[in-house]
Amino acid sequence: MIEFVVGGIEHSGTTLVSDLFRQVPGLDSGFEVGVLMNRSPREFRTFEPYIGFMNEGWGVTDADLDYICDTDSFAEFYGRLRARSSQIADGSKIFDKTPRYLLELERVLERSGVPAVMTYKDPRSIVASDFKRSKRPDFDGWYPTYLDQKRRYMKALYSSYEAHLRDPRVAFVSLEELSVNTKASVDRIFGHVGLSFDPNYLLLKDLKFKNTHSTSIDMTVPFRYVDDLTPEQCRRVVEDFAFAGDWFFGW
């Protein structure tokens, strides 16, 4: 079986956390999986878009996926994936990083039976990042078209967070905390999954994926919304996402 799962709000540091864990000798992962959102690995064979990420993300062929998914056992699925993946060295243990696991966290925990590390970040940073990715020139024109659907999704994520906040199976960490209180944060999440943290891991060597933009933790990343949004826009976000009180960082 996998060692643990990593999930969280999209673009809140799940890839960064995964890259930190990949620094551990003999521990590795591909990009994303998503199988634990299915009742059986057999259902995962047609589970879009996640199954479509597996070829490149884990270095497996379609024929490999036919074999890997041909089981009702999640442990067997992961064992076959580890064996067939061209990206995983022989003998390495693996973990599963899939951000959307936060949304279905209870099912993920039940189906995997392993610890979970879940990330989140300040809603102001989330909105600012989404606005930049939208490539729209006018925040005031874009924000009303975005708000309702994003609020519904964030409320669902926050409900899952609240339901597991004191769950000993889960360690939550914010991107802001990881950036400004790095030692305490990495010690806590590594300890949660039974590992010891080595300061050398902060150098982030041999990165697999372009989602990580630096070879070290950049403490400015979660606070760039201060330049990207006006004070009035930040105020609107605080009001509109006030239900996610724990996720606002510092001020």
Side-chain angles (χ1 to χ4, degrees), residues 48-66:
E48 297 290 351
Y50 292 90
I51 193 67
F53 302 151
M54 295 295 290
N55 299 97
E56 181 177 357
W58 282 81
V60 291
T61 67
D62 286 339
D64 289 330
L65 287 171
D66 289 341

Side-chain angles (χ1 to χ4, degrees), residues 34-44 47 71-74 104 107 110-111:
V35 65
L36 295 170
M37 292 185 283
N38 296 263
R39 290 170 295 182
S40 163
R42 297 185 195 279
E43 296 180 358
F44 184 60
F47 188 59
T71 177
D72 290 315
S73 165
F74 290 105
E104 301 187 33
R107 291 175 182 168
E110 290 175 354
R111 290 167 181 167

Side-chain angles (χ1 to χ4, degrees), residues 102 105 120 156-166 172 246-247:
L102 175 56
L105 186 50
Y120 60 90
L157 293 178
Y158 198 74
S159 293
S160 183
Y161 161 82
E162 289 188 309
H164 294 90
L165 186 56
R166 293 172 178 80
F172 288 99
D246 287 359
W247 290 353

Side-chain angles (χ1 to χ4, degrees), residues 13 19 26 31 92 111 131 153 166 176 194-195 224 229 242 249:
D19 285 333
F31 182 56
S92 292
R111 290 167 181 167
F131 176 53
Y153 180 56
R166 293 172 178 80
E176 294 84 7
L195 297 171
R224 290 177 183 170
L229 300 180
F249 183 83

Side-chain angles (χ1 to χ4, degrees), residues 2 7 12 15 37 45-46 58 81 99 145-146 155 157 161 176-177 191 203 212 219 223 226 228-230 244 248 250:
I2 48 174
S12 70
T15 302
M37 292 185 283
R45 188 64 187 93
T46 56
W58 282 81
L81 177 60
T145 68
Y146 156 91
K155 282 184 176 180
L157 293 178
Y161 161 82
E176 294 84 7
E177 178 189 357
L203 300 179
T212 304
M219 69 172 295
F223 304 105
V226 175
D228 295 336
L229 300 180
T230 68
F248 286 95

